[in-house]
């Protein structure tokens, strides 16, 4: 939380976000805990994020990326099918100016959705770097309902994120009534946005991307 000053107490309350101490009992102890709402704002489940994931991932990479022991960024309750839902789906119609000008922004993680919401940008998250067919259908439906069919993709600009984005682009192009735009990439702007996540965007950077998205 200290590394993300935009995660204020008010933002955390609005997004049903908190921390379960390591000393507590339960599956999500020692993790940042997120509420996952359905389309009407009712809690479907809670899931947890490893606050030390970046360090654990770096250690794993230094060991040569062995399949055994690969760090898990998010932990979900058994039985919850995240591929059927989109994080942030209950608030998709709140930021109408953003939806009208930019469209429905699609990102990977919950922190990306929350950060963009703080910048008055309407976004939904896959909670993965790859979209399921069910999520693609939801994205298309939401875009038609609240964004005049406009979709803006803002993946993580690492190899995994861009691979997943290419697949998502292909799937969304099966819907001829959608207008799909790519917000950034690892190679655009001389590699300025390489290895970035939407949660790291400053207001100035978002304004630059927004201008690009609304011009294209």
């Amino acid at each position: 939380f200290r590394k993300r000053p935009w995660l204020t107490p008010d933002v955390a309350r609005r997004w049903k976000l908190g921390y379960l101490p390591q000393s507590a009992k339960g599956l999500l102890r020692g993790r940042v805990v997120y509420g996952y709402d359905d389309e009407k704002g009712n809690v479907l489940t809670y899931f947890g994020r490893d606050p030390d994931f970046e360090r654990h991932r770096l250690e794993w990479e230094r060991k040569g990326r062995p399949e055994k022991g690969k760090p898990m960024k998010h932990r979900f309750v058994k039985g919850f099918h995240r591929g059927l839902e989109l994080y942030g789906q209950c608030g998709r119609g709140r930021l109408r100016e953003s939806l009208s000008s930019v469209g429905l922004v699609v990102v990977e993680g919950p922190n990306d959705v929350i950060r963009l919401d703080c910048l008055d940008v309407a976004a939904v998250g896959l909670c993965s770097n790859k979209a399921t067919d069910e999520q693609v259908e939801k994205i298309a439906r939401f875009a038609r309902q609240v964004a005049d069919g406009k979709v803006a993709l803002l993946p993580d600009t690492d190899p995994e994120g861009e691979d997943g984005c290419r697949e998502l682009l292909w799937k969304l192009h099966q819907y001829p009534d959608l207008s799909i735009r790519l917000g950034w990439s690892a190679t655009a702007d001389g590699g300025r946005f390489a290895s970035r996540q939407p949660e790291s965007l400053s207001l100035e950077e978002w304004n630059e991307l927004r201008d690009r998205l609304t011009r294209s």
Side-chain angles (χ1 to χ4, degrees), residues 80-108:
F80 176 68
H81 301 289
R82 57 178 166 166
L84 300 177
E85 310 295 340
L86 292 167
Y87 184 78
Q89 59 193 349
C90 66
R92 64 189 186 278
R94 188 174 69 82
L95 300 165
R96 298 198 177 277
E97 191 281 328
S98 169
L99 289 164
S100 174
S101 59
V102 176
L104 180 69
V105 178
V106 180
V107 296
E108 292 185 24

Side-chain angles (χ1 to χ4, degrees), residues 153 159 161-171:
L153 304 183
E162 296 209 326
D163 284 346
C165 184
R166 279 189 283 270
E167 185 177 321
L168 177 55
L169 267 171
W170 185 86
K171 288 181 176 180

Side-chain angles (χ1 to χ4, degrees), residues 36 47 74 76 80-88 105-110 112-113 123-132 134-136 138-139 153-155 161 164-165 168 172:
Y36 202 132
F47 65 99
H74 296 112
F76 286 84
F80 176 68
H81 301 289
R82 57 178 166 166
L84 300 177
E85 310 295 340
L86 292 167
Y87 184 78
V105 178
V106 180
V107 296
E108 292 185 24
D112 302 322
V113 174
V124 290
L126 305 172
C127 288
S128 174
N129 53 34
K130 293 198 173 192
T132 64
E134 291 83 1
Q135 287 176 320
V136 173
K138 270 200 169 187
I139 291 168
L153 304 183
L154 210 61
C165 184
L168 177 55
L172 287 172

